[in-house]
């Protein structure tokens, strides 16, 4: 496994591999089983797997956790090596010293859900993913469904900007008690860890209810009432179409619940499909 720290080194490492199918798995490090599932999917779909590890300053708001974000490179490198990753791209900084003067901007899809409380977040994400795509020029790139809105926006970026890259979504990996894995889960105190179960538990209650034929507004009201039992602060709880991200007024096979909360100071997000189990094909 090679580790590169600059775009130039990365390009030089990739040059002899062109012609093979190259997969990119972009991450911010502090790798857990969710990231590993992305790496395994990449291995199953490509000849060469490149993992990028970069805590991208542009996607963090001023009062967010950029400085605090866990950086565990040595452990991450061991995981990547064990998983048979070919190259880790671990740049120190991808921006000019005087700041980027040219960035990408997302409209519409970023004015909803996480984009409301994190107004410049998705602009930062698409800008850095675009840089990674330019440096690595992968054939495919794997993103987790945990960050569903991010995945939808990346798909749209690739389509709107005519990028010849296939975007693959990968299912959410959860702890055994249902909490979606996240590098930020390590911020949680034991009592907050307990409270964080609210997300998956409430979404499952809502899913059961919606399958009894309830309207989405009723299902959301029911979910919000239930969340009140957990003493956490709700950012949003919505039911939207998973492809267009438009609100759904009645449940369809494309309906998905999206939730974001703050448990103490930690922001957590999650989502689940409202498809009946019998409608889920993959
Ligand atoms: P991050 O390092 O948090 O920026 O995440 C890097 C990639 O891993 C993103 O595509 C995430 O959606 C994905 N990811 C993070 N957590 C999970 C999870 N629990 N299950 C599946 N994918 C995940």
């Amino acid at each position: 496994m090679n580790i590169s720290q600059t775009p130039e080194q990365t390009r030089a490492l990739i040059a002899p591999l062109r012609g093979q199918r190259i997969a990119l798995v972009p991450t911010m490090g502090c790798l857990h089983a969710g990231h590993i599932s992305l790496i395994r999917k990449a291995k199953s779909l490509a000849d060469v797997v490149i993992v990028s590890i970069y805590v991208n300053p542009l996607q963090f708001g001023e009062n967010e956790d950029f400085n605090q974000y866990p950086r565990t490179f040595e452990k991450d490198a061991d995981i990547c090596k064990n998983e048979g990753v070919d190259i880790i791209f671990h740049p120190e900084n991808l921006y000019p010293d005087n700041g980027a003067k040219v960035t990408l901007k997302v409209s519409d899809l970023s004015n909803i859900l996480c984009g409301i409380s994190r107004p410049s977040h998705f602009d930062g994400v698409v800008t850095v993913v675009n840089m990674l795509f330019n440096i690595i020029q992968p054939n495919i790139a794997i993103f987790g469904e945990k960050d569903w809105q991010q995945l939808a926006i990346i798909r749209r970026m690739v389509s709107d900007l005519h990028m010849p890259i296939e975007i693959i979504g990968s299912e959410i990996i959860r702890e055994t008690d249902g909490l979606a894995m996240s590098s930020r889960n390590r911020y949680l105190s034991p009592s907050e860890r307990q409270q964080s179960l609210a997300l998956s538990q409430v979404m499952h209650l809502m899913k059961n209810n919606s399958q009894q034929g309830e309207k989405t507004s009723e299902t959301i009201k029911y979910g919000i009432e239930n969340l009140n039992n957990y003493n956490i602060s709700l950012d949003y709880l919505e039911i939207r179409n998973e492809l267009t991200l438009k609100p759904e007024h009645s449940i369809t096979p494309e309906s998905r619940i999206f939730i974001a909360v703050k448990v103490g100071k930690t922001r957590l997000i999650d989502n689940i499909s409202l498809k009946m189990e019998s409608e889920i094909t993959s």
Side-chain angles (χ1 to χ4, degrees), residues 49-80:
V49 173
I50 303 178
V51 173
S52 63
I53 298 182
Y54 181 54
V55 184
N56 169 35
L58 203 63
Q59 71 189 68
F60 287 78
E62 266 185 23
N63 298 317
E64 294 185 355
D65 56 342
F66 174 71
N67 289 324
Q68 191 195 350
Y69 199 85
R71 285 139 170 108
T72 57
F73 183 72
E74 282 181 13
K75 197 163 161 257
D76 294 346
D78 284 344
I79 291 173
C80 288

PDB file of all heavy atoms in Angstrom, residues 49-80:
ATOM      1  N   VAL A  49      -8.082   0.395  -5.494  1.00  0.00           N
ATOM      2  CA  VAL A  49      -8.893   1.158  -4.532  1.00  0.00           C
ATOM      3  C   VAL A  49      -8.025   2.244  -3.881  1.00  0.00           C
ATOM      4  O   VAL A  49      -6.973   1.959  -3.315  1.00  0.00           O
ATOM      5  CB  VAL A  49      -9.516   0.239  -3.457  1.00  0.00           C
ATOM      6  CG1 VAL A  49     -10.215   1.070  -2.383  1.00  0.00           C
ATOM      7  CG2 VAL A  49     -10.494  -0.728  -4.108  1.00  0.00           C
ATOM      8  N   ILE A  50      -8.521   3.462  -3.965  1.00  0.00           N
ATOM      9  CA  ILE A  50      -7.823   4.602  -3.370  1.00  0.00           C
ATOM     10  C   ILE A  50      -8.752   5.195  -2.300  1.00  0.00           C
ATOM     11  O   ILE A  50      -9.935   5.451  -2.569  1.00  0.00           O
ATOM     12  CB  ILE A  50      -7.507   5.667  -4.439  1.00  0.00           C
ATOM     13  CG1 ILE A  50      -6.673   5.012  -5.551  1.00  0.00           C
ATOM     14  CG2 ILE A  50      -6.796   6.872  -3.808  1.00  0.00           C
ATOM     15  CD1 ILE A  50      -6.313   5.911  -6.689  1.00  0.00           C
ATOM     16  N   VAL A  51      -8.222   5.355  -1.086  1.00  0.00           N
ATOM     17  CA  VAL A  51      -8.994   5.979  -0.007  1.00  0.00           C
ATOM     18  C   VAL A  51      -8.378   7.346   0.247  1.00  0.00           C
ATOM     19  O   VAL A  51      -7.157   7.441   0.435  1.00  0.00           O
ATOM     20  CB  VAL A  51      -8.926   5.117   1.281  1.00  0.00           C
ATOM     21  CG1 VAL A  51      -9.571   5.845   2.454  1.00  0.00           C
ATOM     22  CG2 VAL A  51      -9.617   3.771   1.057  1.00  0.00           C
ATOM     23  N   SER A  52      -9.197   8.387   0.231  1.00  0.00           N
ATOM     24  CA  SER A  52      -8.661   9.693   0.622  1.00  0.00           C
ATOM     25  C   SER A  52      -9.057   9.962   2.064  1.00  0.00           C
ATOM     26  O   SER A  52     -10.162   9.610   2.501  1.00  0.00           O
ATOM     27  CB  SER A  52      -9.164  10.803  -0.309  1.00  0.00           C
ATOM     28  OG  SER A  52     -10.556  10.927  -0.221  1.00  0.00           O
ATOM     29  N   ILE A  53      -8.110  10.533   2.792  1.00  0.00           N
ATOM     30  CA  ILE A  53      -8.341  10.875   4.199  1.00  0.00           C
ATOM     31  C   ILE A  53      -7.982  12.342   4.350  1.00  0.00           C
ATOM     32  O   ILE A  53      -6.801  12.719   4.294  1.00  0.00           O
ATOM     33  CB  ILE A  53      -7.475   9.996   5.136  1.00  0.00           C
ATOM     34  CG1 ILE A  53      -7.860   8.520   4.967  1.00  0.00           C
ATOM     35  CG2 ILE A  53      -7.620  10.462   6.584  1.00  0.00           C
ATOM     36  CD1 ILE A  53      -7.105   7.561   5.873  1.00  0.00           C
ATOM     37  N   TYR A  54      -9.004  13.170   4.492  1.00  0.00           N
ATOM     38  CA  TYR A  54      -8.755  14.623   4.546  1.00  0.00           C
ATOM     39  C   TYR A  54      -9.908  15.281   5.289  1.00  0.00           C
ATOM     40  O   TYR A  54     -11.060  15.149   4.870  1.00  0.00           O
ATOM     41  CB  TYR A  54      -8.652  15.168   3.111  1.00  0.00           C
ATOM     42  CG  TYR A  54      -8.361  16.650   3.046  1.00  0.00           C
ATOM     43  CD1 TYR A  54      -7.259  17.201   3.713  1.00  0.00           C
ATOM     44  CD2 TYR A  54      -9.173  17.511   2.315  1.00  0.00           C
ATOM     45  CE1 TYR A  54      -6.997  18.562   3.646  1.00  0.00           C
ATOM     46  CE2 TYR A  54      -8.910  18.871   2.239  1.00  0.00           C
ATOM     47  CZ  TYR A  54      -7.818  19.390   2.914  1.00  0.00           C
ATOM     48  OH  TYR A  54      -7.548  20.740   2.848  1.00  0.00           O
ATOM     49  N   VAL A  55      -9.572  15.947   6.371  1.00  0.00           N
ATOM     50  CA  VAL A  55     -10.598  16.707   7.098  1.00  0.00           C
ATOM     51  C   VAL A  55     -10.677  18.070   6.409  1.00  0.00           C
ATOM     52  O   VAL A  55      -9.785  18.906   6.563  1.00  0.00           O
ATOM     53  CB  VAL A  55     -10.246  16.826   8.600  1.00  0.00           C
ATOM     54  CG1 VAL A  55     -11.375  17.530   9.343  1.00  0.00           C
ATOM     55  CG2 VAL A  55     -10.009  15.444   9.211  1.00  0.00           C
ATOM     56  N   ASN A  56     -11.715  18.218   5.612  1.00  0.00           N
ATOM     57  CA  ASN A  56     -11.820  19.348   4.680  1.00  0.00           C
ATOM     58  C   ASN A  56     -12.337  20.598   5.387  1.00  0.00           C
ATOM     59  O   ASN A  56     -13.526  20.671   5.720  1.00  0.00           O
ATOM     60  CB  ASN A  56     -12.787  18.927   3.561  1.00  0.00           C
ATOM     61  CG  ASN A  56     -13.190  20.092   2.679  1.00  0.00           C
ATOM     62  OD1 ASN A  56     -12.391  20.979   2.421  1.00  0.00           O
ATOM     63  ND2 ASN A  56     -14.440  20.074   2.225  1.00  0.00           N
ATOM     64  N   PRO A  57     -11.488  21.609   5.587  1.00  0.00           N
ATOM     65  CA  PRO A  57     -11.935  22.769   6.368  1.00  0.00           C
ATOM     66  C   PRO A  57     -13.138  23.476   5.743  1.00  0.00           C
ATOM     67  O   PRO A  57     -13.977  24.025   6.467  1.00  0.00           O
ATOM     68  CB  PRO A  57     -10.706  23.695   6.384  1.00  0.00           C
ATOM     69  CG  PRO A  57      -9.796  23.194   5.307  1.00  0.00           C
ATOM     70  CD  PRO A  57     -10.096  21.742   5.112  1.00  0.00           C
ATOM     71  N   LEU A  58     -13.235  23.430   4.409  1.00  0.00           N
ATOM     72  CA  LEU A  58     -14.279  24.218   3.740  1.00  0.00           C
ATOM     73  C   LEU A  58     -15.700  23.722   4.033  1.00  0.00           C
ATOM     74  O   LEU A  58     -16.667  24.445   3.830  1.00  0.00           O
ATOM     75  CB  LEU A  58     -14.019  24.209   2.222  1.00  0.00           C
ATOM     76  CG  LEU A  58     -14.615  25.359   1.426  1.00  0.00           C
ATOM     77  CD1 LEU A  58     -14.018  26.690   1.843  1.00  0.00           C
ATOM     78  CD2 LEU A  58     -14.407  25.138  -0.074  1.00  0.00           C
ATOM     79  N   GLN A  59     -15.838  22.496   4.507  1.00  0.00           N
ATOM     80  CA  GLN A  59     -17.199  22.002   4.764  1.00  0.00           C
ATOM     81  C   GLN A  59     -17.627  22.173   6.219  1.00  0.00           C
ATOM     82  O   GLN A  59     -18.711  21.745   6.602  1.00  0.00           O
ATOM     83  CB  GLN A  59     -17.342  20.551   4.305  1.00  0.00           C
ATOM     84  CG  GLN A  59     -16.602  19.531   5.141  1.00  0.00           C
ATOM     85  CD  GLN A  59     -16.623  18.160   4.485  1.00  0.00           C
ATOM     86  OE1 GLN A  59     -16.021  17.947   3.439  1.00  0.00           O
ATOM     87  NE2 GLN A  59     -17.329  17.213   5.078  1.00  0.00           N
ATOM     88  N   PHE A  60     -16.774  22.792   7.027  1.00  0.00           N
ATOM     89  CA  PHE A  60     -17.121  23.048   8.430  1.00  0.00           C
ATOM     90  C   PHE A  60     -17.522  24.510   8.592  1.00  0.00           C
ATOM     91  O   PHE A  60     -16.839  25.404   8.076  1.00  0.00           O
ATOM     92  CB  PHE A  60     -15.920  22.775   9.347  1.00  0.00           C
ATOM     93  CG  PHE A  60     -15.608  21.317   9.523  1.00  0.00           C
ATOM     94  CD1 PHE A  60     -14.936  20.606   8.546  1.00  0.00           C
ATOM     95  CD2 PHE A  60     -15.996  20.644  10.682  1.00  0.00           C
ATOM     96  CE1 PHE A  60     -14.641  19.261   8.701  1.00  0.00           C
ATOM     97  CE2 PHE A  60     -15.707  19.296  10.846  1.00  0.00           C
ATOM     98  CZ  PHE A  60     -15.033  18.603   9.857  1.00  0.00           C
ATOM     99  N   GLY A  61     -18.605  24.752   9.328  1.00  0.00           N
ATOM    100  CA  GLY A  61     -19.000  26.120   9.654  1.00  0.00           C
ATOM    101  C   GLY A  61     -18.096  26.656  10.756  1.00  0.00           C
ATOM    102  O   GLY A  61     -17.330  25.905  11.387  1.00  0.00           O
ATOM    103  N   GLU A  62     -18.204  27.982  11.003  1.00  0.00           N
ATOM    104  CA  GLU A  62     -17.295  28.626  11.968  1.00  0.00           C
ATOM    105  C   GLU A  62     -17.350  28.027  13.364  1.00  0.00           C
ATOM    106  O   GLU A  62     -16.349  27.920  14.040  1.00  0.00           O
ATOM    107  CB  GLU A  62     -17.618  30.116  12.053  1.00  0.00           C
ATOM    108  CG  GLU A  62     -16.732  30.907  11.119  1.00  0.00           C
ATOM    109  CD  GLU A  62     -16.921  32.387  11.246  1.00  0.00           C
ATOM    110  OE1 GLU A  62     -17.382  32.842  12.312  1.00  0.00           O
ATOM    111  OE2 GLU A  62     -16.609  33.064  10.252  1.00  0.00           O
ATOM    112  N   ASN A  63     -18.584  27.679  13.791  1.00  0.00           N
ATOM    113  CA  ASN A  63     -18.702  27.174  15.163  1.00  0.00           C
ATOM    114  C   ASN A  63     -18.775  25.655  15.209  1.00  0.00           C
ATOM    115  O   ASN A  63     -19.256  25.091  16.180  1.00  0.00           O
ATOM    116  CB  ASN A  63     -19.941  27.774  15.836  1.00  0.00           C
ATOM    117  CG  ASN A  63     -19.803  29.273  15.905  1.00  0.00           C
ATOM    118  OD1 ASN A  63     -18.724  29.770  16.225  1.00  0.00           O
ATOM    119  ND2 ASN A  63     -20.871  29.993  15.563  1.00  0.00           N
ATOM    120  N   GLU A  64     -18.312  25.008  14.159  1.00  0.00           N
ATOM    121  CA  GLU A  64     -18.376  23.543  14.125  1.00  0.00           C
ATOM    122  C   GLU A  64     -17.054  22.930  14.605  1.00  0.00           C
ATOM    123  O   GLU A  64     -16.159  23.643  15.068  1.00  0.00           O
ATOM    124  CB  GLU A  64     -18.790  23.081  12.730  1.00  0.00           C
ATOM    125  CG  GLU A  64     -20.234  23.514  12.421  1.00  0.00           C
ATOM    126  CD  GLU A  64     -20.753  22.990  11.089  1.00  0.00           C
ATOM    127  OE1 GLU A  64     -19.973  22.355  10.332  1.00  0.00           O
ATOM    128  OE2 GLU A  64     -21.930  23.233  10.805  1.00  0.00           O
ATOM    129  N   ASP A  65     -16.955  21.595  14.458  1.00  0.00           N
ATOM    130  CA  ASP A  65     -15.916  20.856  15.167  1.00  0.00           C
ATOM    131  C   ASP A  65     -14.655  20.563  14.338  1.00  0.00           C
ATOM    132  O   ASP A  65     -14.014  19.542  14.545  1.00  0.00           O
ATOM    133  CB  ASP A  65     -16.517  19.535  15.679  1.00  0.00           C
ATOM    134  CG  ASP A  65     -17.140  18.707  14.544  1.00  0.00           C
ATOM    135  OD1 ASP A  65     -17.408  19.272  13.469  1.00  0.00           O
ATOM    136  OD2 ASP A  65     -17.353  17.500  14.736  1.00  0.00           O
ATOM    137  N   PHE A  66     -14.284  21.487  13.438  1.00  0.00           N
ATOM    138  CA  PHE A  66     -13.111  21.210  12.592  1.00  0.00           C
ATOM    139  C   PHE A  66     -11.861  20.904  13.429  1.00  0.00           C
ATOM    140  O   PHE A  66     -11.150  19.925  13.175  1.00  0.00           O
ATOM    141  CB  PHE A  66     -12.826  22.378  11.641  1.00  0.00           C
ATOM    142  CG  PHE A  66     -11.562  22.209  10.867  1.00  0.00           C
ATOM    143  CD1 PHE A  66     -11.466  21.257   9.852  1.00  0.00           C
ATOM    144  CD2 PHE A  66     -10.427  22.961  11.162  1.00  0.00           C
ATOM    145  CE1 PHE A  66     -10.287  21.063   9.148  1.00  0.00           C
ATOM    146  CE2 PHE A  66      -9.247  22.772  10.456  1.00  0.00           C
ATOM    147  CZ  PHE A  66      -9.173  21.830   9.449  1.00  0.00           C
ATOM    148  N   ASN A  67     -11.593  21.725  14.445  1.00  0.00           N
ATOM    149  CA  ASN A  67     -10.363  21.519  15.236  1.00  0.00           C
ATOM    150  C   ASN A  67     -10.439  20.254  16.066  1.00  0.00           C
ATOM    151  O   ASN A  67      -9.444  19.567  16.271  1.00  0.00           O
ATOM    152  CB  ASN A  67     -10.097  22.723  16.147  1.00  0.00           C
ATOM    153  CG  ASN A  67      -9.657  23.909  15.313  1.00  0.00           C
ATOM    154  OD1 ASN A  67      -8.942  23.743  14.317  1.00  0.00           O
ATOM    155  ND2 ASN A  67     -10.104  25.101  15.677  1.00  0.00           N
ATOM    156  N   GLN A  68     -11.641  19.967  16.542  1.00  0.00           N
ATOM    157  CA  GLN A  68     -11.832  18.845  17.455  1.00  0.00           C
ATOM    158  C   GLN A  68     -11.956  17.510  16.700  1.00  0.00           C
ATOM    159  O   GLN A  68     -11.813  16.440  17.296  1.00  0.00           O
ATOM    160  CB  GLN A  68     -13.146  19.161  18.197  1.00  0.00           C
ATOM    161  CG  GLN A  68     -13.483  18.337  19.371  1.00  0.00           C
ATOM    162  CD  GLN A  68     -14.962  18.548  19.731  1.00  0.00           C
ATOM    163  OE1 GLN A  68     -15.640  19.440  19.194  1.00  0.00           O
ATOM    164  NE2 GLN A  68     -15.463  17.704  20.613  1.00  0.00           N
ATOM    165  N   TYR A  69     -12.229  17.571  15.386  1.00  0.00           N
ATOM    166  CA  TYR A  69     -12.545  16.350  14.632  1.00  0.00           C
ATOM    167  C   TYR A  69     -11.418  15.321  14.807  1.00  0.00           C
ATOM    168  O   TYR A  69     -10.241  15.659  14.667  1.00  0.00           O
ATOM    169  CB  TYR A  69     -12.738  16.678  13.141  1.00  0.00           C
ATOM    170  CG  TYR A  69     -13.490  15.593  12.419  1.00  0.00           C
ATOM    171  CD1 TYR A  69     -14.877  15.561  12.412  1.00  0.00           C
ATOM    172  CD2 TYR A  69     -12.805  14.555  11.792  1.00  0.00           C
ATOM    173  CE1 TYR A  69     -15.563  14.536  11.788  1.00  0.00           C
ATOM    174  CE2 TYR A  69     -13.490  13.527  11.170  1.00  0.00           C
ATOM    175  CZ  TYR A  69     -14.867  13.527  11.164  1.00  0.00           C
ATOM    176  OH  TYR A  69     -15.551  12.505  10.555  1.00  0.00           O
ATOM    177  N   PRO A  70     -11.744  14.061  15.154  1.00  0.00           N
ATOM    178  CA  PRO A  70     -10.679  13.093  15.468  1.00  0.00           C
ATOM    179  C   PRO A  70      -9.783  12.779  14.275  1.00  0.00           C
ATOM    180  O   PRO A  70     -10.272  12.531  13.177  1.00  0.00           O
ATOM    181  CB  PRO A  70     -11.464  11.841  15.903  1.00  0.00           C
ATOM    182  CG  PRO A  70     -12.847  12.033  15.415  1.00  0.00           C
ATOM    183  CD  PRO A  70     -13.090  13.502  15.296  1.00  0.00           C
ATOM    184  N   ARG A  71      -8.483  12.832  14.502  1.00  0.00           N
ATOM    185  CA  ARG A  71      -7.507  12.484  13.457  1.00  0.00           C
ATOM    186  C   ARG A  71      -6.697  11.301  13.980  1.00  0.00           C
ATOM    187  O   ARG A  71      -5.976  11.427  14.958  1.00  0.00           O
ATOM    188  CB  ARG A  71      -6.607  13.684  13.144  1.00  0.00           C
ATOM    189  CG  ARG A  71      -7.336  14.773  12.301  1.00  0.00           C
ATOM    190  CD  ARG A  71      -6.986  16.152  12.776  1.00  0.00           C
ATOM    191  NE  ARG A  71      -7.457  17.221  11.888  1.00  0.00           N
ATOM    192  CZ  ARG A  71      -8.475  18.044  12.173  1.00  0.00           C
ATOM    193  NH1 ARG A  71      -9.162  17.890  13.280  1.00  0.00           N
ATOM    194  NH2 ARG A  71      -8.812  19.009  11.340  1.00  0.00           N
ATOM    195  N   THR A  72      -6.871  10.149  13.321  1.00  0.00           N
ATOM    196  CA  THR A  72      -6.288   8.890  13.826  1.00  0.00           C
ATOM    197  C   THR A  72      -5.559   8.195  12.681  1.00  0.00           C
ATOM    198  O   THR A  72      -5.827   7.030  12.383  1.00  0.00           O
ATOM    199  CB  THR A  72      -7.411   7.975  14.372  1.00  0.00           C
ATOM    200  OG1 THR A  72      -8.377   7.758  13.310  1.00  0.00           O
ATOM    201  CG2 THR A  72      -8.149   8.593  15.543  1.00  0.00           C
ATOM    202  N   PHE A  73      -4.653   8.935  12.032  1.00  0.00           N
ATOM    203  CA  PHE A  73      -4.115   8.442  10.758  1.00  0.00           C
ATOM    204  C   PHE A  73      -3.442   7.073  10.853  1.00  0.00           C
ATOM    205  O   PHE A  73      -3.650   6.219   9.985  1.00  0.00           O
ATOM    206  CB  PHE A  73      -3.174   9.464  10.115  1.00  0.00           C
ATOM    207  CG  PHE A  73      -2.692   8.974   8.794  1.00  0.00           C
ATOM    208  CD1 PHE A  73      -3.570   8.926   7.705  1.00  0.00           C
ATOM    209  CD2 PHE A  73      -1.415   8.486   8.618  1.00  0.00           C
ATOM    210  CE1 PHE A  73      -3.171   8.419   6.482  1.00  0.00           C
ATOM    211  CE2 PHE A  73      -1.003   7.975   7.394  1.00  0.00           C
ATOM    212  CZ  PHE A  73      -1.880   7.949   6.334  1.00  0.00           C
ATOM    213  N   GLU A  74      -2.654   6.855  11.921  1.00  0.00           N
ATOM    214  CA  GLU A  74      -1.910   5.575  11.938  1.00  0.00           C
ATOM    215  C   GLU A  74      -2.845   4.376  12.001  1.00  0.00           C
ATOM    216  O   GLU A  74      -2.658   3.372  11.310  1.00  0.00           O
ATOM    217  CB  GLU A  74      -0.918   5.562  13.093  1.00  0.00           C
ATOM    218  CG  GLU A  74       0.288   6.401  12.703  1.00  0.00           C
ATOM    219  CD  GLU A  74       1.375   6.467  13.728  1.00  0.00           C
ATOM    220  OE1 GLU A  74       1.355   5.672  14.695  1.00  0.00           O
ATOM    221  OE2 GLU A  74       2.248   7.326  13.551  1.00  0.00           O
ATOM    222  N   LYS A  75      -3.869   4.525  12.827  1.00  0.00           N
ATOM    223  CA  LYS A  75      -4.856   3.441  12.934  1.00  0.00           C
ATOM    224  C   LYS A  75      -5.597   3.274  11.595  1.00  0.00           C
ATOM    225  O   LYS A  75      -5.838   2.154  11.130  1.00  0.00           O
ATOM    226  CB  LYS A  75      -5.834   3.789  14.063  1.00  0.00           C
ATOM    227  CG  LYS A  75      -6.635   2.637  14.543  1.00  0.00           C
ATOM    228  CD  LYS A  75      -7.267   2.927  15.913  1.00  0.00           C
ATOM    229  CE  LYS A  75      -8.402   1.965  16.135  1.00  0.00           C
ATOM    230  NZ  LYS A  75      -9.716   2.550  15.931  1.00  0.00           N
ATOM    231  N   ASP A  76      -5.944   4.405  10.984  1.00  0.00           N
ATOM    232  CA  ASP A  76      -6.649   4.359   9.692  1.00  0.00           C
ATOM    233  C   ASP A  76      -5.798   3.644   8.642  1.00  0.00           C
ATOM    234  O   ASP A  76      -6.311   2.840   7.850  1.00  0.00           O
ATOM    235  CB  ASP A  76      -6.958   5.777   9.183  1.00  0.00           C
ATOM    236  CG  ASP A  76      -7.940   6.517  10.071  1.00  0.00           C
ATOM    237  OD1 ASP A  76      -8.582   5.876  10.920  1.00  0.00           O
ATOM    238  OD2 ASP A  76      -8.058   7.744   9.910  1.00  0.00           O
ATOM    239  N   ALA A  77      -4.484   3.946   8.661  1.00  0.00           N
ATOM    240  CA  ALA A  77      -3.592   3.331   7.664  1.00  0.00           C
ATOM    241  C   ALA A  77      -3.531   1.816   7.875  1.00  0.00           C
ATOM    242  O   ALA A  77      -3.531   1.043   6.904  1.00  0.00           O
ATOM    243  CB  ALA A  77      -2.205   3.952   7.751  1.00  0.00           C
ATOM    244  N   ASP A  78      -3.513   1.387   9.157  1.00  0.00           N
ATOM    245  CA  ASP A  78      -3.510  -0.069   9.422  1.00  0.00           C
ATOM    246  C   ASP A  78      -4.776  -0.713   8.863  1.00  0.00           C
ATOM    247  O   ASP A  78      -4.728  -1.786   8.251  1.00  0.00           O
ATOM    248  CB  ASP A  78      -3.478  -0.337  10.942  1.00  0.00           C
ATOM    249  CG  ASP A  78      -2.092  -0.085  11.506  1.00  0.00           C
ATOM    250  OD1 ASP A  78      -1.144  -0.005  10.708  1.00  0.00           O
ATOM    251  OD2 ASP A  78      -1.984   0.042  12.747  1.00  0.00           O
ATOM    252  N   ILE A  79      -5.913  -0.047   9.098  1.00  0.00           N
ATOM    253  CA  ILE A  79      -7.192  -0.596   8.601  1.00  0.00           C
ATOM    254  C   ILE A  79      -7.136  -0.710   7.079  1.00  0.00           C
ATOM    255  O   ILE A  79      -7.485  -1.754   6.506  1.00  0.00           O
ATOM    256  CB  ILE A  79      -8.380   0.304   9.047  1.00  0.00           C
ATOM    257  CG1 ILE A  79      -8.573   0.200  10.556  1.00  0.00           C
ATOM    258  CG2 ILE A  79      -9.660  -0.064   8.301  1.00  0.00           C
ATOM    259  CD1 ILE A  79      -9.604   1.155  11.136  1.00  0.00           C
ATOM    260  N   CYS A  80      -6.672   0.343   6.428  1.00  0.00           N
ATOM    261  CA  CYS A  80      -6.642   0.336   4.956  1.00  0.00           C
ATOM    262  C   CYS A  80      -5.717  -0.781   4.453  1.00  0.00           C
ATOM    263  O   CYS A  80      -6.051  -1.476   3.482  1.00  0.00           O
ATOM    264  CB  CYS A  80      -6.163   1.688   4.423  1.00  0.00           C
ATOM    265  SG  CYS A  80      -7.395   2.979   4.634  1.00  0.00           S
TER     266      CYS A  80
END
